[in-house]
Amino acid sequence: MLILLGAIINQKPVQTSRRYVNWEKVLSVSDYQNVINLVYLGILGLEKEISEACGEEFYQKYKKELLLYESYQKAEEVILWQLEKHGIDALLLSDTSVRELYPLPEMASFGQIEILVDKKNLAQIYRLMRDMDYEQEDDRLEKGNVYVRVPGIRVVFYGEIPIENKVLRRYFSGSIRKYLRMENCSQQNAPRRSSLWLAGFASAKYRHIHILSDEEEYMYRAGRLVELYLTGVMKIRDILEFWLFRQVLDEAFPWKAVKDLLEKARWTEFVHQTEVLSSLWFEEGVRQQYGTALELEEYILVPGQENKHLDKVLLPNEKVRLDFYRRDREEEWLLKKKEWMFPPRDYMCQFFPILDKYPFLLIFCWGIRNIRIYTRMCVNKCEKVWFRLSVRMLDIKEKIKGLVRRGSEAAPEEPAEPEEKEPEDEVREHSAEAEDEVQGHAAEAEDEVQGHAAEPEVTEGDMQIEEFKD
């Protein structure tokens, strides 16, 4: 298959293989790697070696790719027109212009259209896409909002650049308006776009649609390759398009600035090995050290394979995200839950010895065990809830007591009503008043001796003495 791809891309005749080729296997692998239309162009003239059913399936999938391009092109025009009409600034990250990278337009394949917009516009875009009969789809590995429509059109809107690397996030940060506007695009700063494509879109006079420059698109493509590698879905088509884009760059491209940025992002080795692998596949007469590149090739061709040594060499600073992407947390939890609820018979025999004699009772023992566990879990949960409620009630009581105490202290004291006094109490009161009077005269005499000019204050006791005197 790789020999066919190299010959088709370089527009050279395909050499007939002398060994037996399992074309059904080639069909399934090329379909998974998104290169089935390229392989179909390579097998033209080899119909005698391929079964009629397999050849027909190749043709139908090739035809589907051609028809899908027309649908994508029309959908892209309508979406861009809607964005321009509503004044929504949008940056095209991946569009149908990728077709211009290939020697023949029918070699291209379209997975999805990617558009970057401001987060605040995502709600408005949802309404627009809904009105255009698009349905939103959930994708665990996709960071944006995915919209799909028959016959297989897939459009993704991002509220932020879909690259996790901090260096690249800073590089792509800022307003969308800072990027090159589509109407200002030229053949020099967008080599992937043909003059026909430029003329068609320039006539539309889009003022809110923006595109990436060569340097920005190179970094974005490199970043997307990293994300695809981390998620384990990197394919031959992705390597091919990265290689094709690199081929159209001329000497004016700022390679030094790009290499410095890759060095800061710690992606230098990853991009280098990607280029080595692409040269191995699509170039001839190139001799390099293919050690790490061959490991990368095996990683791409064998789905679901893990290579910790390759991860450490290519992306040493992305180990945390490697673990996050590769592990399906939901699936792991379901497996653990299943194992916990239905343990093996050897484990169950420890608690149900009867299983040694009657293994068919395992299902009933599972039910008894689960009932016991869930009963105990419910009891424990109820005890915890009751404990929390008790603590809460105590807190409420303490707060109520504090409020009552503060209210009683803040209330003014009411004067007590005078009680009738007995004669003995009156005598004691008069004697106490007499003593107060003597002490008052002594204090006055002392003040006069010391020369104090201030007069003594009239107290309530003095007023009572005056009344007694009267």
Side-chain angles (χ1 to χ4, degrees), residues 335-358:
L335 291 175
K336 289 181 179 179
K337 187 176 181 181
K338 181 180 178 181
E339 184 180 357
W340 174 71
M341 294 182 64
F342 306 102
R345 187 172 66 87
D346 297 339
Y347 176 81
M348 294 292 293
C349 287
Q350 302 177 19
F351 310 99
F352 300 93
I354 194 174
L355 292 176
D356 292 332
K357 294 183 179 181
Y358 306 102

Side-chain angles (χ1 to χ4, degrees), residues 446-458:
E446 185 177 356
D447 292 340
E448 290 177 359
V449 173
Q450 294 178 357
H452 289 290
E455 296 182 357
E457 296 181 357
V458 179

Side-chain angles (χ1 to χ4, degrees), residues 423-446:
E424 294 181 359
D425 296 336
E426 293 179 358
V427 172
R428 292 193 191 98
E429 186 178 3
H430 292 322
S431 61
E433 292 174 355
E435 291 179 1
D436 293 339
E437 183 179 0
V438 172
Q439 292 178 0
H441 286 299
E444 290 177 1
E446 185 177 356

Side-chain angles (χ1 to χ4, degrees), residues 167 219 254-266 268:
V167 177
M219 295 307 304
W255 286 111
K256 186 178 183 305
V258 167
K259 290 179 180 179
D260 292 341
L261 195 57
L262 290 174
E263 183 67 27
K264 291 180 181 178
R266 304 293 180 89
T268 304

Side-chain angles (χ1 to χ4, degrees), residues 211-253:
I211 60 173
L212 296 169
S213 64
D214 294 344
E215 178 183 351
E216 293 165 346
E217 182 164 359
Y218 184 89
M219 295 307 304
Y220 176 73
R221 287 183 177 274
R224 290 299 288 169
L225 280 181
V226 171
E227 298 297 325
L228 293 173
Y229 176 87
L230 293 175
T231 53
V233 293
M234 180 187 286
K235 300 179 180 179
I236 295 176
R237 175 72 68 172
D238 305 313
I239 301 291
L240 174 59
E241 290 186 353
F242 185 73
W243 178 77
L244 289 172
F245 178 77
R246 196 178 187 281
Q247 298 303 307
V248 300
L249 299 177
D250 53 17
E251 298 179 355
F253 186 77

